[in-house]
Structures are given as C-alpha cells and as structure tokens.
Amino acid sequence: MNIQIRKYYYGDIPEDNAGGSESKESKVSPATGGGGNWPLWEVFIRSKQGLDHKHVGSLHAADAAMAIENARDVYTRRQEGVSIWVVESKFITASNPEEAGELYEPAADKIYRHPTFYELPDEVGHM
Amino acid sequence: MNSSLIDYIQHLADNALIMAQRNAEWCGHGPVLEQDIAITNISLDLLGQSRNFYQYAAQLINESEKSDEATEDSLAYLRTERAFKNCFLAEQPNGDWAQTVLRQFFFSAYQFLLYKKLQDNTDEQIAAIAAKALKEVTYHLRWSSEWVIRLGDGTEESHQRMLTAIDELWQYTGELFMPAAYELESGFDVSSLKDDWFNKVVAVFEEATLPVPEKCFMQTGGKTGIHTEHLGFILAEMQYLQRTYPNAEW
Amino acid sequence: MPVQDFEKIFQDKIDAEIKIEPRDWMPEAYRKTNIRQISQHAHSEVVGMLPEGNWISRAPSLKRKAILIAKVQDEAGHGLYLYSSAETLGSSRDEMIADLLSGKAKYSSIFNYPSLTWADMGAIGWLVDGAAILNQVMLCRTSYGPYARAMVRICKEESFHQRQGFESLLVLSKGSEEQKAMCQDAINRWWWPSLMMFGPKDSESTNSDQSMKWKIKRKTNDELRQQFVDMIAVQVKVLGMTLPDDKLKWNEARKHYDFGDINWDEFWNVVKGNGPCNKQRLAARNKAHDEGAWVREAAMVYASKKANREKQEAA
C-alpha cells in the first residue's frame, strides 16, 4: 500500500514542511529525558464506593508512593475517585490480540449460558 | 471594631496568598509534568484558603464600618507593602526545586499545627476555615516532606542543593513562632507550636540525611509589615491591573 | 498471513467503526501518523500553558486567578493524557519531549503569538480553545482507542475553558472604554490565527486522504473552519464586538457565513519558526527541562536506594 499523507491538520504538521525553528541537534541526553527515566505506571481508579477500579491512563513516577500521589494530582482533580491503584506498566501481561479468535470466539455459540435462552411461561413471573 | 481580629485574619490570608502566588510561578515550568500539576494544586489550595480568610475579614470590616467597600479583592489588591502581614518565609523566591519544596515543608508543617489548633477556635468562622484547610495542608505536608527526604537522600547534587536551601531559608523560620500582638490578642500564642514543629523538622531531616541547623539569628518583621524587598515586587506584579484601572470590574 | 490480509482486516475494522487498540496489528504508517499527531497535540497543550501562564501572577482578581491557574493546570493534565496515549504506540515520553525541545517536533502555531493584555486570556479561551474544542470533539471518535479515550476525558474537562473565556470577555465588553478597547483589540489579534489553527484549505491537498480513510480525522479542515466561523460570528454579537474581516457575511444560499482570505504566508512562516514567540516558547520549555534534570535524577536514585533498603530488610 502506497501511503502518502499530504494533508495537514491541526495537531499534525508534517516535519518536512516545518522547517527549522531551532537547532536540530537534540540537547537531551537519554538519562535526563522527559520522564527522567521515571518508569511508566498504569492507573486504576474507583470512582465511588461500590464500583470496580477502572483503568484511566498512565503516568510517570519514580516509585509507587509517588505514583499514587501523582495519580491523585493528575486524575482526581475533579473528584473522580475515592481509591487509586497503580501498577508499573511493565508488570502487566496482556493477551495477544492475534489470538482473539481462539481465546474469545469459542464462547460465542454457548448461548445456553444466557438467561434469555430459556423460554418460560409468563405466569412464572420474574426469574 | 476589633482591629486585632481583623489583622489576625488578614495575616492568615496574606500568608496563604503569597505562598499561592509564589508556587503558581512554577505553573508551566515544573521539572516534570506530574510535579508541575502537583505544585499547582498546592497553589490552588492556598489561594482558596486566602480567599476564605479575606472574605471573612472583609465581612468584619464592612460590619464595623457600616459599608460594603471591603471585598476579598480590595484586601488582596489595594493594600500596600506595609499593610501585608505575611511571614518572611512565604515571600522568599522559588529558587530551585529544592528551595521551593523546603519552603513548602517549613510552611506546611507550621500551617498544619496552626490549623489543627484553630479548628477549635472560639470564632466559628475561623474554626470552620481551618478545619476545611487542614485536610489540604495535611497533604501538602506529606508531599513536601517526601520531597525533602527524596532530595536530601538522593544524589550528591540534590543533597548539596538542599543544604543551600536550608542555609537560605532557616533564618526565616523563627518568625513563625514569635507572636505578633494581634496574634496574642485574637489568636493564640504561636510559640506553643514551636517544639512540635521542630520535632517534625528533625524527624524529616533525619530521614533525609540532612543536618538540623545550629541556632542562628532569626529574622523578624514580616508579620508586622516590615518585609524583605521581595514583597514589593510581588505586589507590583499582582496588583498591576487593579492599580492601573481603578474601580474596574473583571 | 500475508501483510495484505492484515491490512484488509485492519481497514475492515475501521470501516466497521471498531477501535484499534495498542496491541492490534496496524500499518506502520498508521502508527507513525498517530504518534506524530498525538505527540504534536500533547506538545501543543504543554507549550500552550506558556502564553496563559504568563498572566497568572497578574490576574486582576482572586477569582480570575484561581480560574486561570486551574485552566493552565488542566492543560498540563491534557498534555500528560496525550503523551500517555502516544506511549501505547511505542514512543516514550522522553523521545517525544526530546523532539519538541530540539525543534524537530511541531506544536500548534497559535501559541507562538504573544499574550499582551489581560483580554488575551478571554480571547484565547473563547477563540483558541473554541477552535481546539471543535477538533477535539471530532477526535473523540478517532479510530485509535487510547487517543479517543484521552480526547473524551479532555473534552469533559475543557468544557469550562471556552465558557470562562467568553464570560471574561463579556465582563470587559460591559466595562470601561479602556476595557472595551482591550477586548476588541484581543479579538482582532487572535481571530486570524484561530482560523489558521484548522490547517490549510482542503483544495490544497492533491493526494488521497489517508487520515480520513483511517478515521484518525473525521472532518476536513474546511468543514471544521466553517463550523467555527458560523459559531463565532453569532457569539461576537453578544459581546457587541466585531471580527476583523470585512468580507464576513451571512450567505443565505450556503446557509453559512462567508469570510475573507487567510494569510497562508504568515501561517507557514510561524510554523517554520518565524512567529513572534517561537524562540521564547522553546527556550522556556528547554529551561524547565534542563533545570529539572537533577530533580528527576535525584528522585530515581532515591527510589532505588529505598527499594534496596526494603529488600535488605526483607532478607
């Protein structure tokens, strides 16, 4: 597929058209990059008592305690949460989307697992 | 008119406002995005506290003068250098991140003890403002303590920068516990908080592997309106629009 | 499976409005386009903090100060959400920021204009955020899942940004003669740059439009720009102000406002680094970054010291 993108959008200015505003030399050595090599953490927030924690995004922090506080400052500025979980992103194991077929499709035809599969007389009422 | 009570409330408000103004200077310039947001949150909390105190002071002033001229903004924007009663510590420049977090730690440790006491104040309004703010300050104290420890016990450079910051700021901590007349009349004797404050500093510094400074000369004056030269510039900038366009609505 | 099949499955998903998620197969160009667009968007939020942050210390009332601080802080948050979503595509925040600081990566040119008076805070909120929101609402339906989710969160938070800007101008428009003049002047200066935010005219594009096909972008530049003009042309009347365009006129046949020509030379010049504040903006970001290096390093060193100590205690 021959892909050429020649249309320029807000938030998408191709570099070849952008010219040099500053020196092209990167002054940033890897050791002092934007996250300062602070590892990436995934953040899960319980929005109120009684609900599950839900993934809301990620952030950088030097350690777990800081990750909790950063999550508090970044993701709960509008009372979005009452409890926070953080886990370093590298410890998350994810299923492979290419195996989605074998993993999830076999469940598709087991319709007898769902209550709507069973037809009962109306007199039974709610069951 | 109970002028010492009004002075006292304005002192509480000025402290919070000047700290908020200083911390907000970091907005957009923090060492990492997450901490840019954190220090700005602290600034917003302090700004909120100052507004609560100014509004109360304005109410008392208006009641006693039978007018409606005093507002939170008239108190923040139309008083001059000598009328501001914030402590020296609050107006000190941000310096580097070490100086900012140390200033916050000294200040939050003080504010924590102060508000804890004020939440039981006989003046219900002061008690209510203090009780609400105490939750915020508890977090500020935690955040700033952790940064002091992290930088003190971090790299050689961060340790050295903390030493420099201590050297810069320690001389302004004594004033926090030397009561001004209005504090004694309308608040309480803040010198009673000194030991608890010092013990907190010792505990955090110990974990941070930082030395607790020897006794040194302590600067005083801010609470009674004799400030360092920094305050004039802070006010010149902060009050510029209100001064340039008198009586305008914004 | 041959690559063509993967590409077909991928395009079928997009056509069926199924979101693409980080670990799904995607064409390399889709990944790259998304990284570039999301990171430029993130950079725009972070650089966008500067022209407004500039007025925090001078805000004319405590209420306005609180609003402005909260708004600029939100932009830091939005930058962070966006960097996070770009990171799911395999580009680290460090790399993206390095590209910003070196001048290689771009950000929205609008932030290279100076904020000169207090009224600029209102004009930026109303016009610049207003233009951005039209883009962002569209991007809530973009095909890449993490980007779309970040946009949903951002749009929720942004809803107050444009309103506070307009309200702030409304107060000025009812104020003294000086305040009215300040208000009109800010609108005059920010109007054309806001229109430029939507990018070049659709007709400038000669090639097939991959971003539309991939549903990264769902409306064309001109569609969005027209939507913006139609909205602002009405709102400006509420302010009793005017837009600096004598060709602006309701077109009954089109059911849209006609408007004048945009100065594209100026647009590309600003993009290329010749805007009034390009240098200052990048210098400010570089300074914050450089002066923060020892802080970030110290935090890491302390974290590993602490982890080691905890390990030893456990042993």
Side-chain angles (χ1 to χ4, degrees):
Chain A
M1 191 152 65
N2 179 23
I3 293 150
Q4 279 193 304
I5 299 167
R6 277 282 183 266
K7 204 156 179 181
Y8 317 124
Y9 290 123
Y10 168 71
D12 185 24
I13 301 159
E15 275 127 37
D16 58 351
N17 218 304
S21 51
E22 289 288 300
S23 80
K24 294 281 186 202
E25 292 290 304
S26 173
K27 281 187 269 177
V28 186
S29 63
T32 60
N37 283 350
W38 289 4
L40 189 66
W41 300 75
E42 299 301 322
V43 180
F44 302 82
I45 290 184
R46 185 200 296 290
S47 58
K48 63 176 190 187
Q49 294 294 108
L51 296 181
D52 290 323
H53 284 77
K54 188 170 164 246
H55 184 244
V56 295
S58 61
L59 48 73
H60 289 272
D63 55 40
M66 196 205 271
I68 292 274
E69 290 174 14
N70 288 353
R72 177 259 188 197
D73 284 325
V74 171
Y75 287 105
T76 68
R77 296 197 304 283
R78 289 176 172 77
Q79 299 180 295
E80 292 94 334
V82 295
S83 165
I84 297 173
W85 288 349
V86 292
V87 59
E88 213 180 315
S89 309
K90 68 179 180 192
F91 294 124
I92 291 200
T93 308
S95 64
N96 185 345
E98 276 148 47
E99 293 163 0
E102 66 214 60
L103 288 176
Y104 313 117
E105 276 171 32
D109 65 354
K110 300 189 175 54
I111 47 175
Y112 44 82
R113 284 185 184 275
H114 298 279
T116 47
F117 180 73
Y118 304 92
E119 276 188 36
L120 299 183
D122 289 347
E123 303 91 275
V124 179
H126 179 73
M127 185 185 278
Chain B
M1 161 170 177
N2 183 349
S3 73
S4 83
L5 179 61
I6 291 168
D7 281 352
Y8 185 54
I9 299 166
Q10 292 190 49
H11 154 71
L12 296 171
D14 292 344
N15 268 346
L17 176 62
I18 301 300
M19 278 295 282
Q21 179 83 357
R22 279 300 195 203
N23 282 334
E25 289 171 24
W26 278 106
C27 188
H29 307 275
V32 66
L33 221 36
E34 283 83 351
Q35 295 301 324
D36 201 307
I37 293 170
I39 189 86
T40 311
N41 263 347
I42 293 176
S43 175
L44 273 177
D45 287 344
L46 289 164
L47 183 57
Q49 293 170 21
S50 79
R51 292 183 66 188
N52 288 333
F53 283 125
Y54 282 131
Q55 284 164 11
Y56 183 38
Q59 180 198 325
L60 293 179
I61 292 170
N62 289 335
E63 279 168 13
S64 73
E65 293 179 1
K66 307 257 179 295
S67 92
D68 57 0
E69 298 208 334
T71 64
E72 58 171 11
D73 288 329
S74 75
L75 297 181
Y77 287 89
L78 300 175
R79 285 183 306 142
T80 54
E81 293 87 335
R82 294 280 282 105
F84 267 73
K85 293 177 181 60
N86 61 283
C87 57
F88 277 147
L89 185 66
E91 69 202 41
Q92 296 313 303
N94 287 347
D96 59 8
W97 190 249
Q99 190 164 321
T100 293
V101 299
L102 184 68
R103 185 185 60 198
Q104 192 61 48
F105 169 63
F106 285 159
F107 185 78
S108 295
Y110 156 77
Q111 241 193 358
F112 175 78
L113 296 168
L114 178 73
Y115 286 169
K116 229 168 127 178
K117 184 108 181 168
L118 286 181
Q119 65 178 342
D120 300 322
N121 198 275
T122 49
D123 185 308
E124 281 177 18
Q125 192 64 27
I126 292 182
I129 298 171
K132 178 180 174 290
L134 184 60
K135 292 192 189 111
E136 299 166 354
V137 173
T138 304
Y139 184 75
H140 304 168
L141 180 57
R142 166 177 161 174
W143 179 89
S144 58
S145 303
E146 285 169 358
W147 267 110
V148 167
I149 293 165
R150 202 174 274 136
L151 296 182
D153 191 19
T155 59
E156 213 167 293
E157 180 180 3
S158 69
H159 185 82
Q160 189 55 48
R161 284 175 182 268
M162 283 306 295
L163 293 178
T164 309
I166 294 170
D167 197 42
E168 192 63 41
L169 296 178
W170 188 253
Q171 58 182 321
Y172 301 118
T173 58
E175 185 196 22
L176 298 171
F177 308 102
M178 296 178 202
Y182 56 77
E183 285 180 283
L184 290 174
E185 283 166 36
S186 294
F188 64 97
D189 183 358
V190 273
S191 67
S192 64
L193 304 178
K194 192 175 178 181
D195 288 347
D196 283 347
W197 181 87
F198 188 73
N199 291 339
K200 175 72 185 175
V201 171
V202 170
V204 167
F205 275 24
E206 205 161 281
E207 205 180 334
T209 71
L210 292 167
V212 178
E214 302 284 313
K215 279 200 164 34
C216 77
F217 182 77
M218 289 294 177
Q219 305 286 344
T220 58
K223 286 181 179 182
T224 49
I226 312 287
H227 291 274
T228 57
E229 291 178 347
H230 302 297
L231 187 73
F233 291 99
I234 294 176
L235 297 187
E237 196 170 334
M238 188 173 81
Q239 298 179 339
Y240 138 75
L241 278 167
Q242 289 270 357
R243 299 281 185 193
T244 311
Y245 305 100
N247 303 318
E249 292 280 326
W250 301 94
Chain C
M1 224 188 312
V3 173
Q4 288 84 338
D5 292 351
F6 279 123
E7 276 173 6
K8 179 163 186 326
I9 295 169
F10 173 82
Q11 189 63 49
D12 287 349
K13 266 200 230 170
I14 300 241
D15 293 343
E17 298 289 332
I18 296 172
K19 297 280 185 233
I20 305 303
E21 294 296 343
R23 287 172 52 101
D24 293 349
W25 186 91
M26 62 187 83
E28 202 42 36
Y30 177 85
R31 179 189 304 276
K32 282 197 173 139
T33 303
N34 263 297
I35 289 177
R36 191 179 59 216
Q37 179 166 338
I38 299 169
S39 65
Q40 283 182 5
H41 197 161
H43 299 329
S44 302
E45 296 281 354
V46 172
V47 176
M49 295 171 78
L50 298 170
E52 289 176 286
N54 177 17
W55 278 90
I56 288 174
S57 64
R58 291 175 290 173
S61 72
L62 297 180
K63 183 184 92 178
R64 294 284 174 208
K65 190 188 288 288
I67 293 169
L68 187 59
I69 293 175
K71 173 177 191 285
V72 180
Q73 187 204 34
D74 272 352
E75 280 153 18
H78 299 168
L80 197 150
Y81 306 155
L82 288 162
Y83 284 127
S84 289
S85 65
E87 281 180 290
T88 63
L89 288 162
S91 178
S92 75
R93 195 200 293 180
D94 288 357
E95 289 166 344
M96 292 183 269
I97 288 190
D99 283 349
L100 169 69
L101 297 180
S102 70
K104 184 179 166 218
K106 295 297 148 190
Y107 52 87
S108 187
S109 295
I110 192 96
F111 301 117
N112 290 322
Y113 290 89
S115 62
L116 299 178
T117 71
W118 171 253
D120 290 29
M121 298 303 98
I124 290 175
W126 177 42
L127 298 174
V128 178
D129 289 323
I133 287 167
L134 289 184
N135 269 288
Q136 289 170 344
V137 166
M138 167 196 73
L139 287 170
C140 289
R141 297 189 301 125
T142 190
S143 59
Y144 185 57
Y147 191 19
R149 290 192 288 276
M151 289 322 305
V152 169
R153 179 175 282 271
I154 288 172
C155 283
K156 259 191 217 158
E157 298 189 355
E158 284 257 345
S159 58
F160 98 81
H161 292 186
Q162 193 187 11
R163 290 174 71 96
Q164 67 82 33
F166 187 82
E167 190 241 14
S168 167
L169 291 182
L170 194 59
V171 172
L172 294 180
S173 74
K174 292 178 181 159
S176 66
E177 287 309 311
E178 285 157 317
Q179 285 176 306
K180 285 179 192 161
M182 194 189 274
C183 179
Q184 182 63 60
D185 168 65
I187 294 169
N188 292 350
R189 281 183 289 109
W190 289 96
W191 171 247
W192 291 107
S194 307
L195 287 189
M196 293 177 198
M197 283 176 74
F198 297 95
K201 277 196 271 196
D202 296 344
S203 56
E204 309 261 299
S205 164
T206 49
N207 292 300
S208 75
D209 190 5
Q210 196 65 53
S211 277
M212 293 288 277
K213 189 172 170 219
W214 278 340
K215 296 185 183 169
I216 296 175
K217 175 99 181 178
R218 314 195 56 137
K219 285 184 183 175
T220 72
N221 295 353
D222 284 342
E223 280 167 7
L224 283 170
R225 186 165 18 238
Q226 184 68 59
Q227 202 181 332
F228 179 70
V229 172
D230 291 348
M231 177 175 84
I232 298 298
V234 174
Q235 291 170 354
V236 75
K237 292 177 191 162
V238 181
L239 292 176
M241 299 281 148
T242 56
L243 297 173
D245 179 359
D246 46 17
K247 297 207 177 103
L248 187 80
K249 206 177 147 215
W250 176 252
N251 182 325
E252 186 58 35
R254 289 203 311 130
K255 299 284 178 207
H256 286 296
Y257 278 89
D258 292 335
F259 56 98
D261 291 328
I262 291 168
N263 181 347
W264 292 111
D265 284 347
E266 177 181 327
F267 174 77
W268 286 114
N269 257 315
V270 178
V271 170
K272 284 176 181 165
N274 300 323
C277 296
N278 292 55
K279 288 207 162 50
Q280 293 92 315
R281 301 290 185 241
L282 270 193
R285 287 313 310 159
N286 269 295
K287 182 165 181 281
H289 186 83
D290 293 348
E291 291 179 356
W294 69 270
V295 179
R296 298 189 296 272
E297 191 197 350
M300 268 326 278
V301 168
Y302 173 75
S304 73
K305 275 188 195 174
K306 197 170 137 204
N308 281 337
R309 263 179 242 145
E310 277 161 10
K311 233 184 259 168
Q312 279 169 1
E313 276 164 29

